[in-house]
Amino acid sequence: MRRDSVSLYQFRRLLETIERLEGRGTELVTLYVPPDKSISDVINYLRQEYATAANIKSKQTRKNVQDAIESAIQRLKLFDNPGPTGLVIFSGAIPQNSGQTSKIEVYHVIPPEPITTFLYRCDSRFHTEPLKELLREKAVYGVIVIDNEEAAVAVVKGRSISELKTYTSGVPGKHHAGGQSARRFERLREMTLNDFYKRVAEKANEIFLQYPELKGVILAGPGPTKEVFAQGEYLHYSLRDKIHIVDTSYSGESGVREAVAKSADFLKEVRMVEEQRLIQRLMSEATRADGLAVYGEKQVREALRKNMVELLLISEDLDRLEVKIKCQNCGYETVFTIDSGELQTEVPKKLAEKCPVCQNQTLALAETTPLIDKLIAEAENMGVRVELISSEHEEGEMFRKAFGGVAGFLRHRGGY
């Protein structure tokens, strides 16, 4: 599986679906097959587990466990080998109709990265933890923005800025009121600054050293303080060779965002930076008379149908559904989109209406699909690249609210 935004989104969605499933007792089978394990060996192992399950006292539990194992075996037979990243199978009896009956459900998952250990487990739930660990963002960076008056410490990870802490120095300005000698005043000021640097470094060390995968530290600020801080060896020795110095106009929280924006090349592995770049490009195109931006659900879908979209942007938090209503008498169909919160109110109103073709009150709900899935399918149909944008950062939230969470870049303006 490619680690692109659509694949990872679909992978997360599948894991969320699997996580919600629960069984009775220990009837759900979780199977992790690493790349170096042969399918035939795993099938033989499962055959032994099938035989062992014959000793389960409860007839229903015994049947459900053996059915789950047999279903896992049949799914395994579809594969010649586990593939370069391995194979994961979830199989088990899922209660239906308020627990009155149960149905065997089987899922297979191709991990986005290689799994390393073989795992077989029967439980009342499916074990997705090793797969969720593969989704954990591995590109982590620290940020320190500092001047002589204030400082901010933060972590840039995946699609968000987290652990943001701000500090004030309490250092007096260079000019002082009478009563103190200039030398004594300057000495007190330097001591206070030194204490401030130590305090900031102590908090930065505490936060950053929690991340053994930390790739770098952006050290920024509007004046020379950042260089003084870097040269003073305040940071832990393991962080000093990871420092990337950036000039910013601001310190504090605003400086953190500015430092991240100015460190795009340094932060190229961070997904948030790529998403911010895309939204900034969208805003630039949207404000030009001859710009190549298209936005709004109706306009974007029309451009997709005309095969004019080069790149489609969708908010991951696009909370809309496409609803299909069909007449059970004459086959008339209508399709519309609504916010998911309107499903319980708007659809019953539609179903209460008469069919506009045969005039019978025979309209029924045929299908509801997340709009995000529909848009991805339409784009893939036309060979259009899709990028999903998180709302966890400022630009992503603005994209969702100002652009409706759906936009794209046109190949050209002609004919549109």
Side-chain angles (χ1 to χ4, degrees):
M1 180 185 286
R2 294 174 297 123
R3 280 191 74 92
D4 62 76
S5 63
V6 172
S7 296
L8 291 179
Y9 164 79
Q10 292 169 337
F11 185 71
R12 275 196 303 273
R13 281 273 300 274
L14 177 58
L15 289 190
E16 286 166 6
T17 299
I18 292 168
E19 274 187 311
R20 285 195 291 267
L21 301 175
E22 293 182 359
R24 297 189 191 91
T26 56
E27 298 179 355
L28 304 187
V29 169
T30 299
L31 181 69
Y32 282 71
V33 185
D36 57 355
K37 193 90 170 168
S38 99
I39 295 290
S40 58
D41 286 350
V42 178
I43 289 175
N44 290 335
Y45 179 90
L46 291 181
R47 288 287 181 210
Q48 292 170 15
E49 291 295 332
Y50 185 95
T52 302
N55 298 320
I56 297 172
K57 290 181 182 178
S58 164
K59 181 180 177 182
Q60 188 62 50
T61 302
R62 180 170 67 248
K63 179 183 184 305
N64 285 344
V65 170
Q66 289 187 320
D67 284 352
I69 293 172
E70 184 57 42
S71 296
I73 289 171
Q74 295 308 315
R75 184 60 59 95
L76 275 172
K77 287 181 177 179
L78 300 175
F79 299 88
D80 295 327
N81 57 68
T85 61
L87 178 64
V88 181
I89 292 176
F90 301 100
S91 174
I94 305 300
Q96 314 281 315
N97 306 318
S98 303
Q100 300 301 309
T101 58
S102 61
K103 174 188 172 188
I104 294 290
E105 294 188 20
V106 188
Y107 300 84
H108 74 263
V109 176
I110 309 298
E113 293 177 17
I115 52 176
T116 55
T117 54
F118 175 77
L119 171 71
Y120 168 82
R121 188 171 293 176
C122 276
D123 206 337
S124 60
R125 66 180 182 89
F126 292 125
H127 288 264
T128 59
E129 293 83 2
L131 289 176
K132 287 171 75 177
E133 179 62 21
L134 296 179
L135 286 173
R136 188 171 58 84
E137 294 287 353
K138 296 173 179 62
V140 181
Y141 293 82
V143 184
I144 301 172
V145 182
I146 189 167
D147 63 14
N148 285 347
E149 294 179 4
E150 63 177 338
V153 176
V155 169
V156 180
K157 181 181 177 186
R159 298 166 135 199
S160 62
I161 296 171
S162 61
E163 305 210 43
L164 180 60
K165 306 276 191 283
T166 56
Y167 312 92
T168 52
S169 69
V171 176
K174 289 190 176 181
H175 303 290
H176 66 282
Q180 293 187 68
S181 73
R183 187 177 297 175
R184 184 179 174 213
F185 178 83
E186 194 56 39
R187 196 162 53 245
L188 286 171
R189 188 173 183 278
E190 285 173 9
M191 285 172 58
T192 310
L193 270 176
N194 188 52
D195 289 343
F196 173 55
Y197 296 162
K198 284 181 179 177
R199 184 156 50 97
V200 172
E202 188 180 315
K203 296 308 291 184
N205 290 336
E206 183 185 316
I207 294 170
F208 298 164
L209 293 175
Q210 292 176 45
Y211 298 92
E213 68 273 38
L214 192 89
K215 294 191 173 228
V217 176
I218 299 168
L219 183 53
T225 306
K226 56 187 176 293
E227 283 85 5
V228 174
F229 184 82
Q231 291 159 13
E233 299 187 345
Y234 294 98
L235 285 176
H236 189 272
Y237 72 90
S238 64
L239 301 173
R240 289 176 207 154
D241 62 348
K242 297 179 179 179
I243 290 174
H244 174 74
I245 295 180
V246 177
D247 284 316
T248 58
S249 303
Y250 302 97
S251 55
E253 190 174 335
S254 300
V256 170
R257 287 194 288 272
E258 187 185 357
V260 169
K262 288 189 168 182
S263 304
D265 290 343
F266 185 64
L267 297 171
K268 58 186 175 222
E269 293 179 61
V270 176
R271 173 64 189 172
M272 180 184 71
V273 173
E274 172 62 13
E275 292 184 4
Q276 288 174 330
R277 187 186 64 77
L278 286 169
I279 300 307
Q280 285 156 8
R281 180 186 161 201
L282 174 66
M283 291 168 65
S284 173
E285 292 289 346
T287 54
R288 287 172 45 198
D290 60 344
L292 295 175
V294 58
Y295 51 90
E297 181 189 325
K298 183 181 176 184
Q299 292 85 344
V300 169
R301 294 183 91 168
E302 183 185 344
L304 276 172
R305 280 191 290 271
K306 292 179 177 178
N307 196 22
M308 292 189 63
V309 179
E310 181 181 41
L311 171 62
L312 176 64
L313 306 181
I314 310 172
S315 172
E316 259 192 19
D317 297 305
L318 183 65
D319 195 20
R320 286 181 68 76
L321 300 169
E322 182 173 283
V323 179
K324 181 191 285 186
I325 287 178
K326 187 172 183 178
C327 177
Q328 294 173 303
N329 181 52
C330 69
Y332 160 82
E333 285 184 358
T334 182
V335 176
F336 56 93
T337 60
I338 56 172
D339 290 338
S340 61
E342 299 176 316
L343 186 63
Q344 303 302 321
T345 55
E346 294 304 310
V347 171
K349 288 179 189 174
K350 295 277 188 184
L351 297 181
E353 296 172 1
K354 290 181 179 179
C355 171
V357 176
C358 69
Q359 295 299 308
N360 287 315
Q361 206 160 356
T362 47
L363 296 178
L365 179 62
E367 191 179 284
T368 60
T369 311
L371 179 60
I372 190 169
D373 293 344
K374 282 287 184 181
L375 289 169
I376 289 171
E378 287 173 20
E380 289 180 343
N381 239 16
M382 305 301 290
V384 174
R385 185 163 69 90
V386 180
E387 291 287 355
L388 293 172
I389 307 296
S390 167
S391 296
E392 289 183 31
H393 49 82
E394 199 174 341
E395 286 83 356
E397 179 67 6
M398 185 274 297
F399 170 61
R400 185 178 68 82
K401 288 181 175 176
F403 291 89
V406 183
F409 297 106
L410 300 170
R411 300 181 200 278
H412 52 81
R413 291 293 320 178
Y416 182 74

